[in-house]
Amino acid sequence: MNKSIAIYPGSFDPITLGHLDIIRRASAMFDKVIVVVMTNMAKTCSFNPEERRQMICKSLAGIDNVTVECYDGLLAEYAKMHGARVIIKGLRAMSDFEYEFQMALTNKKLNPDVETLFLTTSPQYMYLSSSMVKQIAQLHGDISDFVPAAIHSDILNRLTQK
Ligand code: ADP
């Protein structure tokens, strides 16, 4: 069966165990998953796109069919360029839904060949967000249950700087 290509877009500022859980599950469903580090003009990021890309790469040990790229254009175009028919999104709570629903319909309008597939968060990551991880790190809290071990020091070095 040709399971084909899916793309998983987000800010990943930084990647969390919640994101990684979605990546693992998507990687089992598709031949190839491309994680796309997007530039979101509505968000102020702590890490630049290349730093975010590298932190994701470091977190992917043991997952072979996933690549990571940065992109600052339209996701619908990116999907077309890479022959991807599926956009993966993780859903934490109802609060994610309205925005994601709007994005899914917009992407469908821009690229009718693309389907958005929502994966429900695993319950242990339901409350987890990049912004929460950053707040904890800034206050010198323990982030080890929230982010991949390979990137702990990258996050602490950046966010606990004076
Ligand atoms: P955030 O909303 O935390 O800034 P991103 O923009 O990086 O995250 O999110 C990329 C994708 O990952 C989105 O589809 C988002 O809903 C999903 N996601 C984020 N955190 C989780 C989590 N803890 N569990 C499942 N999906 C998540």
Side-chain angles (χ1 to χ4, degrees):
M1 186 176 80
N2 177 11
K3 292 191 283 181
S4 75
I5 303 174
I7 56 185
Y8 177 40
S11 312
F12 306 106
D13 185 50
I15 184 172
T16 67
L17 291 179
H19 294 129
L20 192 58
D21 174 62
I22 298 289
I23 293 171
R24 268 188 217 290
R25 289 160 57 194
S27 78
M29 297 167 69
F30 295 91
D31 287 329
K32 181 175 171 191
V33 174
I34 310 174
V35 179
V36 188
V37 178
M38 304 289 292
T39 304
N40 182 340
M41 284 160 221
K43 283 186 186 173
T44 312
C45 286
S46 301
F47 299 90
N48 71 38
E50 179 55 23
E51 289 169 335
R52 287 181 263 150
R53 192 188 73 78
Q54 285 178 15
M55 286 192 287
I56 299 170
C57 291
K58 280 191 195 178
S59 307
L60 291 178
I63 312 176
D64 295 332
N65 59 339
V66 177
T67 56
V68 192
E69 291 186 18
C70 299
Y71 185 65
D72 61 3
L74 273 179
L75 191 63
E77 284 302 316
Y78 186 92
K80 250 182 225 166
M81 283 177 338
H82 289 77
R85 302 281 305 268
V86 175
I87 297 172
I88 301 282
K89 289 295 187 125
L91 273 189
R92 279 162 294 196
M94 287 308 288
S95 54
D96 279 339
F97 183 75
E98 201 170 330
Y99 175 75
E100 295 294 357
F101 191 71
Q102 189 183 17
M103 285 300 299
L105 291 177
T106 305
N107 283 325
K108 186 80 180 162
K109 177 79 183 157
L110 294 173
N111 177 353
D113 292 331
V114 82
E115 298 291 347
T116 299
L117 181 67
F118 293 104
L119 295 185
T120 311
T121 182
S122 296
Q124 68 270 36
Y125 303 128
M126 182 147 180
Y127 59 90
L128 187 51
S129 68
S130 298
S131 51
M132 194 199 71
V133 166
K134 287 187 282 188
Q135 284 179 35
I136 297 171
Q138 273 161 353
L139 298 170
H140 302 265
D142 180 5
I143 58 169
S144 55
D145 283 344
F146 307 134
V147 297
I151 64 165
H152 280 184
S153 55
D154 296 329
I155 296 172
L156 296 177
N157 288 344
R158 172 64 49 85
L159 294 172
T160 57
Q161 268 172 11
K162 287 257 153 56

